[in-house]
Amino acid sequence: MNDRLWDAYEQVCVVELRPVRELVDRLRAGQFGPFPRQEVLDLLRTLQHNVLANVYVKAQEHPAYAEQAHRVAEEQRELFDALLAEVEADWPWP
């Protein structure tokens, strides 16, 4: 994983608590410099895996979370699938 790309993720999503959609928008705008399409796709796939794993861990921790896990997981899959498709179709750098 590209360290600069991971640092951009941490800055936007962890420090600033902004959504992954904003991270992609800011990456596309070149705010953190150019990144190859494949590296962004790899990051998004890693994040998707981590988010979905966390949803199911939380579902095991409390019944209220378990009731919502399927809906939340589906929403997250849809979000990441859309972001992946956008990056795949139209990215400013090869």
Side-chain angles (χ1 to χ4, degrees):
M1 175 82 46
N2 181 313
D3 288 340
R4 276 187 329 109
L5 186 55
W6 190 259
D7 289 346
Y9 156 72
E10 287 185 334
Q11 176 61 41
V12 174
C13 298
V14 178
V15 174
E16 297 175 20
L17 300 174
R18 305 302 303 155
V20 70
R21 158 66 65 197
E22 184 172 322
L23 170 65
V24 172
D25 291 345
R26 290 165 70 175
L27 289 171
R28 182 184 307 280
Q31 180 175 339
F32 301 98
F35 290 99
R37 173 185 287 122
Q38 190 58 52
E39 289 183 14
V40 176
L41 291 170
D42 291 345
L43 172 69
L44 290 172
R45 288 185 184 109
T46 298
L47 294 177
Q48 181 179 36
H49 172 79
N50 293 348
V51 166
L52 293 175
N54 286 338
V55 167
Y56 291 113
V57 166
K58 287 294 184 186
Q60 294 174 351
E61 291 177 353
H62 195 278
Y65 296 139
E67 293 172 9
Q68 299 176 34
H70 180 70
R71 179 185 56 79
V72 171
E74 187 57 34
E75 289 172 358
Q76 292 303 307
R77 269 190 212 93
E78 290 174 5
L79 168 68
F80 279 97
D81 287 349
L83 291 172
L84 286 161
E86 288 174 22
V87 170
E88 188 68 51
D90 179 32
W91 192 248
W93 302 282

